[in-house]
Amino acid sequence: MKGTLVSTRFLMVCLSKMTVTHLHFFLHETLGGKNPLAVEVAQANISSLPFGTLYAIDDILNIGLEDNSEVIGNAQGLALTVGGNTTTGVMYVDFGFTKGKFKGSSISLFSRNPITNTEREVVVVGGRGKFRIAKGFALLKTYFLNATTVIVDFNVTVIHTDPILETQFSWIVWLCTTLLE
């Protein structure tokens, strides 16, 4: 019983050093035309299916659904189609923020992404700047999808350290994140 009480108190101290941030933005991707934001860089030569196709992406992050809404950053990385039915992708993407409160910070996602599902969940595995030691998840909802344009709504919950507290209490932050894994 005493060990549980100590563990509970220590966990409360750990959590008090962590910050929970909710982000909401829209990813705008252009697949064709003269300025594509996602391009095919490799494809497996064993099949005519898009299975194993690798894309490089540099998508725009907007605060709104409309193309002309304020740009707050970009998503850069790779997307790979996997599975025989090509309805699932794996994404390795860094979401960098260029404006606002989180300017200069980013979150990194590395997750399976069932791209044909209208709603899905992907994992946040890291971050930089104000999102150091980030963990979390993103709920995605596809709002528009055709042969050349994709618009996805991102609702992201990120648990991360406060960079100021991190430098002052780095050993506590390290221990807390180790215990929370």
Side-chain angles (χ1 to χ4, degrees), residues 7 10 17 21 38 44 54 58-59 77 83 88 98-99 112 121 123 128-129 132 141 172:
S7 298
F10 188 76
K17 305 294 182 217
T21 300
L54 180 67
D58 185 12
D59 296 335
T88 300
T98 57
K99 288 188 180 174
R112 173 186 293 241
E121 179 179 328
V123 66
R128 63 181 172 81
R132 288 184 188 154
K141 183 174 183 180
I172 293 176

Side-chain angles (χ1 to χ4, degrees), residues 5-6 8 10-11 19 24-25 32-33 35 50 64 67 89 93 97 105 112 119 121 127 129 134 140 162 169 181:
L5 185 59
V6 171
T8 303
F10 188 76
L11 184 58
T19 302
H24 182 241
F25 52 84
N35 294 315
D67 283 340
V93 184
F97 299 98
S105 300
R112 173 186 293 241
E119 295 182 13
E121 179 179 328
L140 285 58
D162 180 320
F169 304 103
E181 287 184 346

Side-chain angles (χ1 to χ4, degrees), residues 13-43:
V13 169
C14 287
L15 293 176
S16 72
K17 305 294 182 217
M18 304 301 281
T19 302
V20 177
T21 300
H22 299 282
L23 304 168
H24 182 241
F25 52 84
F26 292 85
L27 178 140
H28 291 251
E29 183 172 87
T30 305
L31 303 170
K34 55 184 183 174
N35 294 315
L37 299 174
V39 294
E40 181 180 313
V41 294
Q43 182 177 15

Side-chain angles (χ1 to χ4, degrees), residues 46-53 80-89 112 116:
I46 58 171
S47 159
S48 62
L49 294 174
F51 171 69
T53 304
L80 177 67
T81 58
V82 296
N85 58 12
T86 67
T87 60
T88 300
R112 173 186 293 241
T116 57

Side-chain angles (χ1 to χ4, degrees), residues 2 6 12-13 20 29 35 43 52 61 73 77 82 87 90-91 95-96 100 116 121 125 129-130 133-134 138 148 157:
K2 186 175 183 180
V6 171
M12 289 170 60
V13 169
V20 177
E29 183 172 87
N35 294 315
Q43 182 177 15
L61 305 179
V82 296
T87 60
V90 175
M91 59 190 297
F95 288 74
T116 57
E121 179 179 328
V125 297
K130 293 186 179 178
I133 312 177
T148 61
T157 301

Side-chain angles (χ1 to χ4, degrees), residues 20-24 101-102 131 137 155-160:
V20 177
T21 300
H22 299 282
L23 304 168
H24 182 241
K101 175 177 167 178
F102 301 113
F131 296 118
F137 64 95
N155 281 293
V156 186
T157 301
V158 185
I159 302 168
H160 56 97

